[in-house]
Every structure is written in structure tokens, then in C-alpha cells.
């Protein structure tokens, strides 16, 4: 079990030594004038070399009078002594400390007059989710749960303050202990321990929560429930890698699938089940706030090998079957939809569900009819579990559609477009095939071969400008870059230091792919402003992610991520929205003592550094992995530990030192 006072030890990085060039003068004895000239030249060479060695040869970034001067550093080697948790900084700069300290004495932060500082928000905002704000949601229609969808604040409503962590906040337990335990102070809500006590979701013990792994329809635990599913479909051969859990609760299903190398996107609305997604994230399980309503889910078509609903209370047969139609869009050809809970096995449970037999039977018949209209086949129903399978292609479906005229195909559309895109009552087209045995869109290798195989969306030429060679070069590039990151911050190599990671501009998922051997997961974001929509490629690699507009807040709770990677995010959003608003959102979703890696043009990084200083982050600009002569640089930053004050007290803060 992890200790609340455990210490992490960080990286060291050093600047290259700058060697003075020796002038290759070869001479013979000549007259006195020649010797005097040589003496002057030698003296100048010595002084020039001394100046370079003393720091003049380092890359100095000049900015205008209102900006800070930053000195770049290049790695020479990985640290010899990993017990030292600080970076070797240039003269006059404070070393970075990637360690996690949990608590520290109160310190007053001071800044120069040139740096704009950002105050703490009121403690009432400690769990603020800007685009899922409960008060704002009441202004919207309750029909089809529209009020629980994303509704972001207008520009003048955006907060310009830092979201505080609750008083007494501690770094989460290390994985895999975090699957079973979370600190009470981090998510101080006992509501679910009472409401879901019988269902074994969560229990409160001393200063922590315990997650027994139970669920409404799996009182014997998620592990046993998954074993039951595994007796019906193969969960072990690598053919099922990505899954989606609708109405996930505290995400125990996704948590226990991780040991089977299945990566689950769990989502649930911010509703009366207080903080269920927040508990999932605190456990180190991938999750987002989300709801099946009037808009498409923020995922591409053909993304998931398996979809799941365990008493998720989604009215699958209502609204023309639109909720199940949306599951069909994101489900891969040949993928499975698993349903447990009402109305499945209603003959056994109807009395406990306090519904009539006729009502439950009618609901199941309607679900069966919608599934049939999607050309799904009923794979199996056994006990409390029913499973349907999506066809490999739509050849037969097109024939039956002409006969039955049931649920027409959607008109020409982009099935991967899914950012504020309305759902439709029509069947999403699958890519064309030539025979009934062909997998629409291309067959995927099994995991783990899937990770580095050329994804079908690329091999079939459906993404403009991206070829198999592009993919392979990108994979090699990110392997090298991640090795460099680990040399700068060797805590990336320490199991458990970082668990929840966000890549804000993931492209082909190379950053996440380079980290798959580590005990962590990466949420890969493809910005909606990106030139090419590559999120489908990321899913074809067996990774997960979402769409996002970084001019808006992300659908997640504060303190979600341990590390954030921002590759040219700020260049992408230049002129679209304020830099400070993106950084404030990053501050909101980053844990205390979490880390950020920025990669961008040096001028952009200098602006970011100035604002991050106002956020009370420790940061330092570092040279590109190819050396100091690249305009592209890196900015490594650490969010300092601070929390809301105890009642009537001061903010609890510390610098990373």
C-alpha cells in the first residue's frame, strides 16, 4: 500500500560543455612582428574560450523588455546518481525538482512586477468543471438529457483564477494500489458509500476509500463478472483491445480489464451520482465526463472493439434508437455490444426492479428490434448477460435494407466528425468491401502487434498526406524523443510517478506508443483544429483518445492528470484564443506537483514561461534533442503543491525544492 509520505526522486540534466576552438596556426620562426601578432591572437583565443566556458557560449534567448530572458540547456548524459531529485541548473537559475512532496510549510510566493499573477479561486470551485457546470446546465432543455451535455462558459465568464485542491490533498496511491484505494481528502464525498453500499461500489475506511470492485450487476466483483463475459467471447487473444463503458459508475469494469490488456474509455455524466468519474480518475483509470444524448460521442467511427452497459439506465429503444445507433457508429466491424441489467433476465429480477413483466418484456423486444435494424446479430444471452455482434461489413445489410425499408443509411457524411455533431436516426455507412468475408475499413492485427503495424486508415490512403513511411518515421521519432524526455526527467522511468497522462496534440499517437511498456495510460487528444483528423488512426493502434477544442475546457475534473504533453499546441491556437486561458485550463486539470512538457518555437515558449511563472509553476527552457541550434525548444514545468486553506487558515503551498 502506498504511503502518503512517500518521496519520489527526480532527474538531473546538465548543459553541454562548450569547448573553445583551437586555432590551427602552423608557423616557422620569423621576425619579431610575426611573434607579436601571434601573441595577440593567442591571447584573444584564450579570452574567447574562457568567455564561452563561463556561460557566454550558452544559447541566450533575447526577448523584448516585457519578457523574461531564458537560458537553454542541452542534455549531456543521464544522471549518475538518480537519488538526486533536482536538475543541474545554469548559474543564477533555480534547479527543477520533479519530486512529489505531498505537503509542505506555508510560503508566500512573490513575483516581479512584469509577471501577471493569478489568484486562487474560491474553495467552492475545487471541483469546477466549466463545460458541465450544474448551475449553467439548468438553463438548457431536459429533453434527451441535453442539459447534461457540454455547455461552456462564454468568454467573459471564463475564470481567471487557479482552481485549488481540497485542503489535505495528497498524491494518489501508486498503481496498482490506486485501483483499490483513494484518499478521502482528495475526493471528499461519502454520498456513493451510502447510496451504493449494497452494490459494493465503494466503502469509506478511515482516511481513505476502498473500491471492492463491485457493481450493480456484478456483486461478486468486476473480476468475476469479466470472467463470465470471457466465457462467452474471447478476451485473451488480443482481438479485443479497446472498449467503451457507457454509464461507468466508478469504472471498476474498465479498471479490471486493464490486467487483460484491454484499454477502456469509461464515461458518465456529472449527475446525482456525485463524483463517479472523479473517483475513476483518482483510481488511475481512463475516464471522461460524457453522456449519450443529442450529440455524437467525441470519438471517431469504428473506434472500439467492445461496448458495454451494465445497468447504465440508457433508454436504448427510445428516440428512434438513436443511442444504440451512436454505439453502432463507434463500434468496430465485428465488435461486440454487451448489456446486463434491465431488461436482461427480467424473468428473474422483475420484482426487485419494481417493474411489471410486460413492461420489461416490451423493452427487451424493442431493443432487439433496434439491434436487428442495425444488422447486428444476437450472439448470446446467458444469465444476466446479453451480447450482440456488429457485422463485418454492410453487403447483406444493403440487400435487406432494400426489402424492409427499415432504418435508412445516412446520407453522405463524415462518420468521424464528432465535435458538437448532432446524432441522426440513420445507419452510418461502413467502407466498401468486395466480398462478404472482408472487414470494412480493413482488418486489424491483434494486440500488441496492432500498436506498430501500419493502421488501415493510412495503408488504404484515406488520410491526405500521411503514408506508411510517414507513420514509421513518426514512430521512430517519438521513441527517440521520449528517451530524451526520460533523460531530462528520469521520473518518467520510475514506475508509479506518473499514471494519468494527457497528450494535447497527439497526431498519430507516437508519444503514447513510446510509453506503452510503462504502467500508465495516455489520453490522446486530436484538436478539432488539426489539419488532418488522425484520431481514427490512434484507435487503430489500440490506443484511446478524444476530440477537443483547447479554446474550451476539457470534460474532466480538476487534478485529472499527472503529466501533460503539449506538442505545438500553442502555435496551433495562435490567434484563436488566449494563451493564458489554455494555461489556466492546464493548471485546472493538472495535479499538484504534476509535470508539463511543452514543445514549440522558442518565441512561443518564452511567452508560455512568463505566464506559467504567474501560475506559480517552476519551469525551465531546454534545448531540442538535436542540439541548441534548433528554433524548436522544450519547456519543462512543474506545478507547485498548494491547496485550499483549512477553515480560517492560509493556503498550504510549497515550492519544489
Amino acid at each position: 500500500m502506498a504511503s502518503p509520505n512517500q518521496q519520489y526522486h527526480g532527474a538531473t540534466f546538465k548543459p553541454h560543455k562548450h569547448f573553445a576552438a583551437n586555432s590551427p596556426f602552423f608557423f616557422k620562426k620569423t621576425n619579431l612582428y610575426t611573434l607579436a601578432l601571434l601573441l595577440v591572437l593567442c591571447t584573444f583565443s584564450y579570452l574567447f574560450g574562457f568567455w564561452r566556458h563561463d556561460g557566454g557560449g550558452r544559447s541566450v534567448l533575447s526577448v523584448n523588455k516585457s519578457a523574461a530572458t531564458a537560458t537553454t540547456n542541452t542534455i549531456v548524459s543521464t544522471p549518475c546518481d538518480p537519488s538526486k531529485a533536482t536538475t543541474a541548473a545554469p548559474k543564477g537559475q533555480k534547479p527543477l525538482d520533479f519530486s512529489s512532496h505531498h505537503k509542505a510549510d506555508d510560503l508566500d510566493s512573490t513575483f516581479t512586477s512584469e509577471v501577471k499573477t493569478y489568484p486562487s479561486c474560491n474553495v467552492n470551485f475545487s471541483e469546477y468543471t466549466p463545460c458541465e457546470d450544474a448551475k449553467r446546465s439548468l438553463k438548457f432543455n431536459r429533453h434527451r438529457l441535453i442539459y447534461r451535455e457540454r455547455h461552456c462558459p462564454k468568454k467573459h465568464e471564463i475564470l481567471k483564477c487557479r482552481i485549488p485542491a481540497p485542503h489535505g490533498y495528497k498524491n494518489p496511491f501508486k498503481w496498482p494500489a490506486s485501483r483499490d484505494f483513494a484518499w478521502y481528502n482528495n475526493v471528499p464525498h461519502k454520498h456513493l458509500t451510502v447510496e451504493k453500499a449494497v452494490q459494493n461500489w465503494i466503502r469509506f475506511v478511515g482516511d481513505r476509500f476502498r473500491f471492492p470492485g463491485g457493481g450493480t450487476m456484478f456483486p461478486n466483483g468486476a473480476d468475476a463478472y469479466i470472467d463470465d463475459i470471457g466465457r462467452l467471447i474471447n478476451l485473451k487473444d488480443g482481438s479485443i483491445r479497446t472498449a467503451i463503458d457507457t454509464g461507468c459508475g466508478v469504472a471498476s469494469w474498465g479498471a479490471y480489464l486493464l490486467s487483460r490488456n484491454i484499454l477502456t474509455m469509461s464515461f458518465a455524466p456529472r449527475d446525482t451520482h456525485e463524483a463517479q468519474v472523479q473517483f475513476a480518475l483518482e483510481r488511475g483509470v481512463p475516464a471522461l465526463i460524457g453522456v449519450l444524448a443529442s450529440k455524437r460521442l467525441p470519438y471517431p467511427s469504428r473506434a472500439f472493439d467492445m461496448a458495454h452497459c451494465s445497468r447504465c439506465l440508457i433508454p436504448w429503444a427510445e428516440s428512434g434508437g438513436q443511442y444504440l445507433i451512436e454505439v453502432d457508429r463507434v463500434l468496430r466491424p465485428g465488435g461486440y455490444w454487451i448489456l446486463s441489467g434491465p431488461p436482461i433476465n427480467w424473468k428473474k429480477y422483475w420484482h426487485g426492479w419494481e417493474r411489471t413483466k410486460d413492461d420489461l418484456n416490451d423493452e427487451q423486444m424493442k431493443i432487439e428490434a433496434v439491434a436487428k435494424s442495425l444488422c447486428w446479430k444476437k450472439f448470446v444471452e446467458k444469465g444476466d448477460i446479453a451480447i450482440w455482434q456488429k457485422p463485418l461489413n454492410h453487403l447483406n445489410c444493403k440487400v435487406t435494407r432494400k426489402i424492409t425499408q427499415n432504418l435508412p443509411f445516412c446520407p453522405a457524411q463524415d462518420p468521424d466528425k464528432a465535435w458538437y455533431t448532432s446524432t441522426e436516426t440513420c445507419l452510418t455507412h461502413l467502407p466498401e468491401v468486395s466480398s462478404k468475408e472482408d472487414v470494412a475499413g480493413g482488418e486489424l492485427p491483434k494486440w500488441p502487434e496492432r500498436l506498430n503495424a501500419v493502421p488501415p486508415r493510412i495503408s488504404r490512403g484515406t488520410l491526405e498526406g500521411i503514408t506508411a513511411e510517414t507513420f514509421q518515421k513518426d514512430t521512430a521519432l517519438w521513441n527517440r524523443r521520449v528517451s530524451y524526455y526520460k533523460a531530462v526527467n528520469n521520473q518518467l522511468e520510475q514506475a508509479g510517478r506518473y499514471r494519468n497522462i494527457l497528450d494535447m496534440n497527439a497526431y498519430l499517437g507516437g508519444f503514447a506508443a513510446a510509453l506503452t511498456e510503462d504502467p500508465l495510460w495516455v489520453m490522446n487528444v486530436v484538436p478539432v483544429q488539426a489539419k488532418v483528423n488522425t484520431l481514427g488512426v490512434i484507435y487503430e493502434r489500440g490506443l484511446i483518445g478524444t476530440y477537443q477544442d483547447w479554446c474550451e475546457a476539457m470534460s474532466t475534473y480538476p487534478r485529472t492528470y499527472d503529466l501533460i504533453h503539449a506538442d505545438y499546441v500553442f502555435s496551433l491556437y495562435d490567434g484563436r484564443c488566449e494563451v493564458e486561458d489554455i494555461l489556466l485550463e492546464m493548471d485546472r486539470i493538472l495535479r499538484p506537483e504534476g509535470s508539463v512538457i511543452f514543445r514549440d518555437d522558442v518565441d512561443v515558449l518564452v511567452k508560455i514561461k512568463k505566464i506559467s511563472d504567474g501560475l506559480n509553476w517552476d519551469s525551465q527552457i531546454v534545448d531540442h534533442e538535436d542540439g541548441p541550434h534548433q528554433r524548436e525548444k522544450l519547456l519543462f514545468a512543474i506545478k507547485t503543491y498548494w491547496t485550499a486553506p483549512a477553515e480560517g487558515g492560509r493556503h498550504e503551498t510549497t515550492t519544489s525544492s
Side-chain angles (χ1 to χ4, degrees), residues 381-500:
E381 181 174 341
K382 184 175 182 181
D384 298 343
I385 299 170
I387 302 177
W388 285 262
Q389 187 174 25
K390 180 175 177 175
L392 294 177
N393 55 64
H394 277 162
L395 284 183
N396 282 338
C397 198
K398 288 179 179 178
V399 174
T400 59
R401 195 71 60 218
K402 292 178 181 178
I403 299 172
T404 63
Q405 299 294 314
N406 189 22
L407 193 63
F409 280 100
C410 296
Q413 53 162 244
D414 181 358
D416 289 350
K417 187 179 180 182
W419 187 249
Y420 294 116
T421 306
S422 297
T423 56
E424 299 177 273
T425 310
C426 55
L427 183 57
T428 303
H429 280 279
L430 286 175
E432 296 294 331
V433 295
S434 56
S435 71
K436 294 180 180 179
E437 292 74 28
D438 290 344
V439 178
E443 187 172 1
L444 294 178
K446 295 179 179 180
W447 182 263
E449 290 78 15
R450 183 182 299 191
L451 179 67
N452 292 314
V454 178
R457 276 176 166 89
I458 294 177
S459 62
R460 297 164 71 92
T462 57
L463 296 181
E464 185 179 353
I466 302 177
T467 64
E469 184 181 8
T470 305
F471 173 78
Q472 290 159 352
K473 286 183 177 179
D474 186 77
T475 299
L477 175 67
W478 282 105
N479 284 333
R480 185 165 66 90
R481 285 179 169 179
V482 168
S483 294
Y484 183 79
Y485 291 168
K486 289 181 176 181
V488 178
N489 175 7
N490 67 14
Q491 291 196 5
L492 270 169
E493 294 186 296
Q494 296 185 22
R497 175 62 181 97
Y498 302 111
R499 173 64 184 171
N500 303 0

Side-chain angles (χ1 to χ4, degrees), residues 303-375:
F304 300 100
D305 300 305
M306 177 169 62
H308 174 256
C309 161
S310 176
R311 199 170 184 177
C312 60
L313 305 180
I314 295 172
W316 295 110
E318 293 183 13
S319 301
Q322 282 195 14
Y323 306 121
L324 209 52
I325 290 170
E326 177 60 3
V327 171
D328 177 79
R329 183 185 70 86
V330 300
L331 196 60
R332 196 159 282 148
Y336 300 98
W337 182 56
I338 302 168
L339 178 64
S340 64
I344 303 303
N345 206 6
W346 57 265
K347 292 179 181 179
K348 177 180 178 181
Y349 294 112
W350 70 273
H351 190 269
W353 289 338
E354 298 180 347
R355 293 173 62 182
T356 66
K357 295 180 181 180
D358 288 343
D359 179 36
L360 287 162
N361 182 58
D362 182 60
E363 182 183 352
Q364 180 153 355
M365 291 301 100
K366 288 180 178 178
I367 291 173
E368 300 271 12
V370 175
K372 188 175 181 179
S373 73
L374 295 169
C375 298

Side-chain angles (χ1 to χ4, degrees), residues 217-218 220-233 235 260 338 380 382 384-385 387:
M217 293 308 299
F218 36 98
N220 295 325
D223 232 9
Y225 173 73
I226 292 169
D227 285 342
D228 289 340
I229 294 173
R231 295 183 186 96
L232 305 176
I233 58 176
L235 300 178
R260 295 160 172 84
I338 302 168
V380 67
K382 184 175 182 181
D384 298 343
I385 299 170
I387 302 177

Side-chain angles (χ1 to χ4, degrees), residues 9 19 69 78 186 198 214 292 339 438 453 498 547 576:
H9 299 289
F19 296 99
T69 299
T78 53
N186 292 12
V198 177
L292 265 172
L339 178 64
D438 290 344
Y498 302 111
Y547 296 114
R576 300 179 190 270

Side-chain angles (χ1 to χ4, degrees), residues 245-295:
D245 191 10
T246 55
C248 64
V250 294
S252 288
W253 190 71
Y256 282 86
L257 278 172
L258 286 168
S259 63
R260 295 160 172 84
N261 276 326
I262 297 174
L263 195 55
T264 304
M265 178 68 78
S266 299
F267 76 89
R270 181 162 187 169
D271 60 7
T272 53
H273 291 169
E274 195 170 38
Q276 54 184 328
V277 168
Q278 192 174 14
F279 278 121
L281 294 164
E282 199 68 20
R283 297 176 72 183
V285 179
L288 285 171
I289 300 171
V291 63
L292 265 172
S294 70
K295 305 296 183 186

